[in-house]
């Protein structure tokens, strides 16, 4: 249920400036497989913040820009929400999964979906049968999605519309993993070329470091990487490098520093040698207080040994868009990896913020990681309610239990996943301050694995 209104604003295109899967035999397969799962879990804010129904800009070549507006203030205003609340009250508190499996031998088939991942030609099974829900539950969740206009909002995101209404920006992380180079644009300008240029820069640099061609100021090979960032500049890379640790370079040690508490950076520096350490300073503006504080601590530590500030260029690189601040810090602008204003928050791991991932697992694996997400991006806009896996998983994870979300089994190395999955990528809006959605129960399990030949037994 959406409504459109217009507001005056020049349009740039009119000429104005302005897992739980076993490890496969090869790294690239695993990277793509893990990523298809990861991209499912970090779906754009449809159900992850449950009310995705905020002003949505639709760029058009005119003086006026159409804005998709919700026809209600809160998701709880919707009739489907109220029906879910009643459903929860009458059913959710009394459901016993063992009994439901006994009554319906086909429950597993009804409440599971398989995604054929073209990156590694493997199937990924999404099993919802152990969640506390029924066919009526899913029907009501689908009804909520339709009434809320989720499909329309999804389409607006893939068009590059300004769905980040608090900052009046697009949310175009899908363009970062567009490995098939499909046309994508924001405000009438293609973004494909710039994205590919950054990826090529990341490839060149990561291969130089991993091969030993890139050396420190004394001529020694880099063997330690310290990523300094906070929020989205930390959580995503931490999760991915941990999940794909089997593909990490055996001679590279990796540290992530995010806490402004000095002990965090001190512990990383204690295990490092200034002659062989590379620092990645991850901050879009290069003015984030926590990040710049830790970066200056690292810089002082480095100069105690290196003495000459010209050596900073060999040991510090910037993941940022602020060239003035980067060069003032002492980093060579050639060692700056940029990204657009429509990159932010939990999804920024796909951008230059993921340089630590590329360095650790190698660029080829990183590219497969992007390709796995791109496979899901292609599924997302071409599938429709009521059957798509993305909808069932998003509703299952974020609405399947009260008062919290779900308890989901992951491969042990993916244990940092809940942090980026629950982190907000844009400032919270009043319309997002809703209660947890009313679906049956107190605990649930959503399992992502390679597809078995039949349903596992229920004891």
């Amino acid at each position: 249920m959406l409504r459109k209104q217009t507001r005056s604003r020049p349009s740039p295109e009119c000429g104005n400036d302005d897992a739980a899967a076993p490890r496969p035999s090869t790294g690239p397969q695993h990277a793509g497989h893990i990523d298809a799962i990861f991209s499912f879990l970090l779906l754009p804010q449809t159900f992850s913040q449950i009310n995705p129904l905020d002003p949505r800009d639709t760029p058009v070549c005119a003086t006026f820009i159409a804005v998709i507006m919700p026809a209600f203030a809160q998701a709880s205003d919707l009739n489907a929400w109220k029906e879910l609340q009643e459903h929860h009250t009458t059913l959710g508190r009394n459901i016993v999964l063992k009994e439901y499996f006994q009554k319906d031998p086909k429950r597993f088939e009804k409440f599971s979906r398989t995604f054929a991942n073209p990156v590694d030609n493997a199937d990924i099974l999404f099993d919802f049968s152990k969640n506390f829900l029924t066919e009526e539950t899913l029907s009501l969740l689908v009804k909520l999605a339709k009434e809320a206009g989720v499909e329309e909002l999804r389409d607006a995101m893939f068009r590059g519309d300004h769905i980040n209404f608090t900052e009046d920006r697009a949310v175009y992380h899908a363009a970062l993993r567009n490995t098939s180079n499909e046309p994508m644009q924001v405000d009438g300008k293609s973004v494909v070329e710039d994205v590919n240029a950054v990826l090529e820069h990341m490839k060149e640099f990561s291969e130089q470091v991993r091969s030993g061609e890139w050396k420190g100021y004394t001529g020694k090979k880099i063997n330690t990487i310290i990523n300094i960032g906070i929020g989205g500049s930390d959580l995503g890379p931490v999760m991915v490098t941990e999940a794909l640790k089997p593909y990490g370079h055996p001679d590279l040690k990796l540290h992530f520093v995010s806490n402004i508490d000095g002990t965090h950076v001190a512990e990383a520096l204690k295990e490092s040698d200034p002659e062989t350490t590379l620092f990645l300073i991850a901050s879009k503006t290069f003015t984030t207080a926590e990040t710049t504080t830790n970066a200056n601590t690292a810089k002082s530590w480095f100069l105690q040994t290196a003495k000459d500030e010209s050596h900073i260029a060999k040991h510090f690189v910037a993941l940022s868009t602020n060239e003035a601040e980067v060069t003032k810090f002492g980093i060579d602008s050639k060692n700056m990896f940029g990204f657009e204003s429509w990159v932010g928050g939990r999804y920024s791991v796909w951008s230059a913020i993921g340089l630590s991932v590329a360095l650790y697992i190698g660029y080829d694996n990183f590219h497969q990681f992007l390709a796995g997400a791109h496979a899901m991006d292609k599924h997302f806009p071409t599938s429709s309610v009521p059957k798509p896996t993305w909808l069932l998983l998003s509703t299952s994870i974020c609405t399947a239990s009260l008062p919290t979300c779900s308890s989901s089994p992951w491969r042990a190395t993916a244990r940092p996943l809940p942090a980026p999955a629950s982190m907000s990528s844009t400032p919270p809006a009043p319309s997002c301050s809703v209660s947890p959605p009313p679906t049956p129960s107190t605990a649930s399990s959503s399992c992502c694995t390679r597809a078995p030949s039949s349903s596992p037994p229920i004891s």
Side-chain angles (χ1 to χ4, degrees):
M1 182 167 57
L2 305 171
R3 68 171 181 266
K4 285 190 176 181
Q5 68 180 42
T6 58
R7 57 188 171 90
S8 178
R9 193 182 71 183
S11 180
E13 61 268 43
C14 296
N16 295 290
D17 292 330
D18 186 297
R23 180 185 175 189
S25 58
T26 65
Q29 288 184 347
H30 188 51
H33 182 75
I34 285 286
D35 186 69
I37 295 175
F38 183 56
S39 58
F40 257 124
L41 299 173
L42 300 192
L43 292 174
Q45 291 122 321
T46 48
F47 281 93
S48 62
Q49 291 183 329
I50 208 54
N51 185 2
L53 311 164
D54 303 304
R56 307 305 208 221
D57 293 355
T58 305
V60 293
C61 189
T63 304
F64 290 93
I65 291 182
V67 181
I68 302 175
M69 299 285 291
F72 52 92
Q74 303 280 5
S76 53
D77 293 341
L78 299 171
N79 290 330
W81 184 287
K82 295 168 184 174
E83 291 181 52
L84 275 169
Q85 185 68 62
E86 183 179 352
H87 175 67
H88 168 69
T89 302
T90 57
L91 173 71
R93 301 181 188 280
N94 303 311
I95 189 170
V96 179
L97 277 179
K98 184 176 181 179
E99 295 177 359
Y100 272 75
F101 273 97
Q102 290 172 342
K103 288 188 294 184
D104 185 3
K106 294 187 177 298
R107 179 175 174 86
F108 171 77
E109 286 79 5
K110 289 179 180 177
F111 298 114
S112 62
R113 299 288 185 273
T114 299
F115 174 70
N117 184 5
V119 176
D120 60 359
N121 296 315
D123 289 340
I124 303 175
L125 170 70
F126 293 88
D127 178 11
F128 310 95
S129 63
K130 285 77 175 176
N131 279 330
F132 293 164
L133 42 79
T134 66
E135 289 182 273
E136 183 184 3
T137 311
L138 289 187
S139 177
L140 289 171
L141 287 169
V142 167
K143 185 175 181 180
L144 175 62
K146 283 184 169 292
E147 190 175 355
V150 169
E151 289 175 300
E152 291 90 338
L153 298 173
R154 171 203 63 190
D155 294 343
M157 182 190 74
F158 276 96
R159 285 195 304 268
D161 293 5
H162 290 206
I163 66 171
N164 175 353
F165 71 96
T166 57
E167 297 175 307
D168 192 20
R169 294 173 179 170
V171 180
Y172 222 30
H173 304 81
L176 300 170
R177 46 197 189 232
N178 179 21
T179 54
S180 63
N181 289 325
E182 296 181 5
M184 301 187 79
Q185 60 181 23
V186 174
D187 295 333
K189 180 181 182 296
S190 174
V191 300
V192 177
E193 295 77 14
D194 287 345
V195 168
N196 286 342
V198 173
L199 288 174
E200 187 60 34
H201 190 190
M202 292 171 67
K203 177 181 180 180
E204 179 186 16
F205 181 74
S206 61
E207 290 178 348
Q208 286 178 336
V209 173
R210 287 170 61 85
S211 68
E213 179 184 349
W214 182 281
K215 293 178 173 60
Y217 73 98
T218 60
K220 293 182 180 179
K221 180 181 177 179
I222 297 296
N223 63 20
T224 303
I225 297 168
I226 300 179
N227 187 92
I228 299 178
I230 194 171
S233 299
D234 170 76
L235 295 173
V238 167
M239 194 287 293
V240 176
T241 53
E242 183 70 18
L244 299 181
K245 185 175 285 187
Y247 302 90
H249 195 296
D251 299 327
L252 281 179
K253 290 183 293 183
L254 190 60
H255 299 279
F256 289 91
V257 174
S258 59
N259 201 317
I260 199 169
D261 178 358
T263 57
H264 202 187
V265 68
E267 287 299 309
L269 297 177
K270 183 173 68 176
E271 301 179 12
S272 305
D273 179 347
E275 297 181 40
T276 58
T277 299
L278 175 69
F279 294 92
L280 312 181
I281 313 302
S283 172
K284 181 185 291 187
T285 63
F286 221 77
T287 58
T288 306
E290 295 88 346
T291 300
T292 53
T293 298
N294 284 325
N296 280 303
T297 299
K299 179 180 174 181
S300 297
W301 171 85
F302 173 76
L303 289 175
Q304 285 175 7
T305 302
K307 309 301 181 183
D308 189 344
E309 291 202 4
S310 67
H311 295 324
I312 290 174
K314 282 288 186 181
H315 292 266
F316 287 78
V317 301
L319 317 180
S320 178
T321 58
N322 192 339
E323 183 173 345
E325 289 296 322
V326 167
T327 53
K328 185 166 69 173
F329 184 87
I331 296 175
D332 190 333
S333 60
K334 291 185 294 186
N335 299 332
M336 187 174 87
F337 299 79
F339 45 95
E340 296 293 334
S341 63
W342 38 261
V343 177
R346 80 187 95 170
Y347 305 104
S348 59
V349 68
W350 319 106
S351 70
I353 293 296
L355 182 60
S356 57
V357 180
L359 285 163
Y360 187 56
I361 68 174
Y363 184 81
D364 288 345
N365 283 338
F366 180 74
H367 190 267
Q368 289 295 92
F369 172 68
L370 299 181
H374 183 53
M376 180 48 51
D377 287 335
K378 291 172 74 70
H379 166 77
F380 189 25
T382 57
S383 58
S384 58
V385 173
K387 293 294 185 183
T389 309
W390 62 262
L391 175 64
L392 298 182
L393 185 62
S394 60
T395 55
S396 168
I397 284 184
C398 295
T399 71
S401 57
L402 292 172
T404 60
C405 283
S406 69
S407 173
S408 305
W410 312 111
R411 179 175 176 146
T413 54
R415 61 183 178 271
L417 176 62
S422 61
M423 172 191 161
S424 175
S425 67
T426 56
S431 57
C432 291
S433 58
V434 296
S435 303
T439 57
S441 202
T442 55
S444 68
S445 175
S446 223
C447 190
C448 308
T449 66
R450 290 184 182 271
S453 57
S454 61
S455 172
I458 303 298
S459 59

